[in-house]
Amino acid sequence: MEKETIFTKIDEGIIPSVKLYEDSKCFVIMDINPIVKGHSLVISKKPYCNLTQAPEKLVEHMILVARKLDLRMREVLDCDGTNIMINNDPASGQEVPHLHIHVIPRYENDGRKFSFAHDSYAEGEMADLGRRLEIR
Ligand code: AMP
């Protein structure tokens, strides 16, 4: 059984939020600590802890809701793009163990950037790894 999280309490109205959308499978709230104003979260109703725990149909549905939110942000905020991302398990930086998709409005020259350092491959390493990672 999935464990309750802060997002479950938000969905139940125990913790207040600004809710933008709701259906039987997911809901959308504004992130309280936005990377850019308007940053919002598409959250599953059931607290699946990561992407692979959730049923495929739910994931499909949530990405379509994220797409609608992207369109809405472009209309209302006149943003130039969005980052749509999932932190998937604690090692990736996921703080709330409850599946959610971040949708972050972006503007040309807004000064925000992901500050990941990049790695590099030795000769032949990428091809070897690529063979192991082929999706079956
Ligand atoms: P993650 O690191 O992917 O698990 O993201 C969790 C997100 O939830 C963060 O961006 C937080 O700012 C956001 N968050 C945490 N508590 C609340 C809350 N009470 N209302 C809205 N957003 C929240």
Side-chain angles (χ1 to χ4, degrees):
M1 194 54 205
E2 302 85 21
K3 283 204 191 114
E4 296 223 324
T5 67
I6 186 169
F7 291 158
T8 320
K9 292 197 173 75
I10 288 174
D11 187 33
E12 290 166 351
I14 298 164
I15 295 175
S17 70
V18 175
K19 209 175 247 189
L20 306 182
Y21 175 80
E22 182 164 26
D23 63 30
S24 60
K25 296 184 188 142
C26 70
F27 60 103
V28 178
I29 60 164
M30 296 184 75
D31 196 298
I32 203 167
N33 192 21
I35 291 174
V36 176
K37 287 179 187 177
H39 177 175
S40 296
L41 306 169
V42 180
I43 305 171
S44 60
K45 286 261 177 179
K46 273 201 184 178
Y48 297 106
C49 62
N50 66 24
L51 189 64
T52 42
Q53 293 296 312
E56 283 188 1
K57 288 274 175 223
L58 173 63
V59 175
E60 286 170 9
H61 178 70
M62 287 175 68
I63 197 72
L64 290 176
V65 172
R67 184 174 181 271
K68 283 185 184 165
L69 181 57
D70 166 286
L71 288 169
R72 190 77 184 133
M73 283 178 176
R74 287 170 196 259
E75 267 172 33
V76 174
L77 303 174
D78 201 27
C79 58
D80 304 309
T82 55
N83 287 109
I84 297 180
M85 61 174 206
I86 298 174
N87 293 325
N88 201 31
D89 283 323
S92 71
Q94 183 183 9
E95 287 173 5
V96 181
H98 181 152
L99 178 62
H100 55 284
I101 304 174
H102 293 258
V103 183
I104 306 166
R106 296 298 305 273
Y107 302 87
E108 299 290 349
N109 305 315
D110 63 20
R112 308 297 197 280
K113 54 172 101 144
F114 290 108
S115 59
F116 289 120
H118 289 260
D119 211 336
S120 59
Y121 291 110
E123 180 73 30
E125 191 183 0
M126 186 165 80
D128 287 347
L129 186 57
R131 275 189 286 279
R132 290 172 53 208
L133 287 172
E134 275 174 14
I135 298 166
R136 302 189 174 103

